[in-house]
Amino acid sequence: MEYKYDYLLNIFPELNEYIGKDEDILSLNNITIKEIKDIRDNAINYLTQDEWRTLSEDERNQLALDRYMQRPKSKWAIGMLYEMYVGHVLRQQHTSVVQFGIKQGLNDLGRDIIATTYDHGLKKVYIIQCKNWSSAKLIHENVVCQIFGSAMEYDIKYNQHKSFTVIPALYVTTELSETAKIFAKRLGVEVTVMPLKDFPVIKCNINHGNKIYHLPFDQQYWNTEISNEGEFFATTVKEATSKGFRRAFRHFI
């Protein structure tokens, strides 16, 4: 329930305004959440009224993005950003990187990322789970067993002719327990400890010829995939607009 709660607040950030305000919640009977989403630019959640009025569109979007990245986030949002960061790192080494967890949500079977690479002509498919946990916590053997089982299911289902090698892997921000380390070694689960760092988060997408960039608080951000020619992740709004991309939104309040 906590996961679902964080998820709802992430895709409908305007709901934060109604927490603990029963009368305001009742007033929503006359308007649908879809109508609220259709008329609201979520960048306004991170700006003052003066900033909204005086800054240019690009300046507003960049400042809103900067504040979004700096402010505390839900566990769900932090986990999603860590998956994206791991994907960003892997794209520098692998032929194909699919953000399977972001795409499938609760139906990801513990597979946050599926990455493919070739080693001397041999195809390798990595089934990856990401855990962005506090350094005060340890990764236990149940996590190791889950990704091992998920990798084996993938191997049985898609690799019947044994034409490639399936490798279970964990990318985590904290250490494994001693028992988990033993399990990982015995089961062949590769473990990489890697803290979350800054990375390009602006999704520059081409849809039916339209060049659109998405910020993390935009409506279709998490549903948007970057995989086609000409698409990329930008670090700044200026980088995105300089290459002909415009912001994805509908209307303003």
Side-chain angles (χ1 to χ4, degrees):
M1 288 302 299
E2 182 181 2
Y3 179 93
K4 292 180 179 179
Y5 178 79
D6 286 341
Y7 175 73
L8 287 172
L9 288 181
N10 186 77
I11 60 176
F12 301 113
E14 55 271 15
L15 291 178
N16 285 285
E17 300 176 13
Y18 297 93
I19 294 176
K21 300 178 181 178
D22 294 345
E23 292 183 3
D24 289 344
I25 293 175
L26 290 174
S27 71
L28 291 176
N29 286 334
N30 299 320
I31 185 171
T32 67
I33 292 299
K34 182 179 185 302
E35 288 171 340
I36 294 175
K37 285 184 66 180
D38 285 350
I39 63 174
R40 185 177 181 82
D41 175 5
N42 289 328
I44 201 170
N45 294 333
Y46 305 94
L47 304 170
T48 66
Q49 290 295 326
D50 285 342
E51 289 168 341
W52 182 263
R53 287 192 298 267
T54 60
L55 296 177
S56 69
E57 179 181 330
D58 287 353
E59 289 173 333
R60 287 199 306 257
N61 292 337
Q62 185 62 57
L63 182 57
L65 174 62
D66 292 341
R67 287 177 177 167
Y68 170 84
M69 297 303 294
Q70 293 166 1
R71 290 181 183 179
K73 302 173 186 63
S74 68
K75 293 179 181 178
W76 180 88
I78 293 172
M80 296 286 267
L81 286 171
Y82 185 64
E83 290 180 29
M84 282 187 56
Y85 172 65
V86 173
H88 165 70
V89 172
L90 291 176
R91 285 186 190 92
Q92 303 172 37
Q93 311 162 1
H94 293 70
T95 304
S96 170
V97 174
V98 178
Q99 304 273 181
F100 190 77
I102 292 175
K103 184 177 180 181
Q104 297 295 324
L106 295 175
N107 299 316
D108 66 1
L109 301 177
R111 303 168 191 165
D112 294 325
I113 296 174
I114 301 176
T116 303
T117 190
Y118 290 87
D119 184 10
H120 297 92
L122 176 63
K123 180 180 178 181
K124 295 183 178 180
V125 177
Y126 291 82
I127 307 300
I128 301 168
Q129 187 172 107
C130 305
K131 294 292 185 184
N132 185 9
W133 287 6
S134 164
S135 58
K137 297 178 64 177
L138 292 176
I139 303 292
H140 291 283
E141 59 272 12
N142 62 312
V143 176
V144 176
C145 291
Q146 182 188 27
I147 192 58
F148 173 78
S150 185
M152 291 306 98
E153 192 273 347
Y154 185 94
D155 191 35
I156 293 168
K157 188 173 183 178
Y158 298 107
N159 195 23
Q160 296 178 2
H161 301 293
K162 300 298 178 183
S163 56
F164 54 88
T165 302
V166 177
I167 302 170
L170 288 173
Y171 278 77
V172 296
T173 55
T174 187
E175 295 292 336
L176 274 64
S177 69
E178 290 305 315
T179 301
K181 290 178 181 178
I182 294 171
F183 272 59
K185 183 176 181 179
R186 184 65 178 268
L187 297 175
V189 177
E190 296 189 4
V191 179
T192 301
V193 179
M194 185 170 68
L196 175 62
K197 297 181 179 179
D198 292 337
F199 68 103
V201 298
I202 303 174
K203 293 184 176 182
C204 295
N205 173 252
I206 302 175
N207 189 1
H208 300 294
N210 296 312
K211 303 174 75 173
I212 301 172
Y213 75 82
H214 301 259
L215 300 177
F217 43 77
D218 285 337
Q219 295 172 16
Q220 296 301 318
Y221 181 81
W222 297 109
N223 295 327
T224 299
E225 296 184 48
I226 303 302
S227 56
N228 298 318
E229 184 177 355
E231 298 179 340
F232 67 103
F233 290 86
T235 302
T236 64
V237 168
K238 183 177 181 180
E239 180 185 359
T241 57
S242 68
K243 296 186 179 181
F245 288 80
R246 64 170 177 80
R247 168 88 183 285
F249 59 82
R250 296 181 182 178
H251 306 289
F252 293 108
I253 286 182

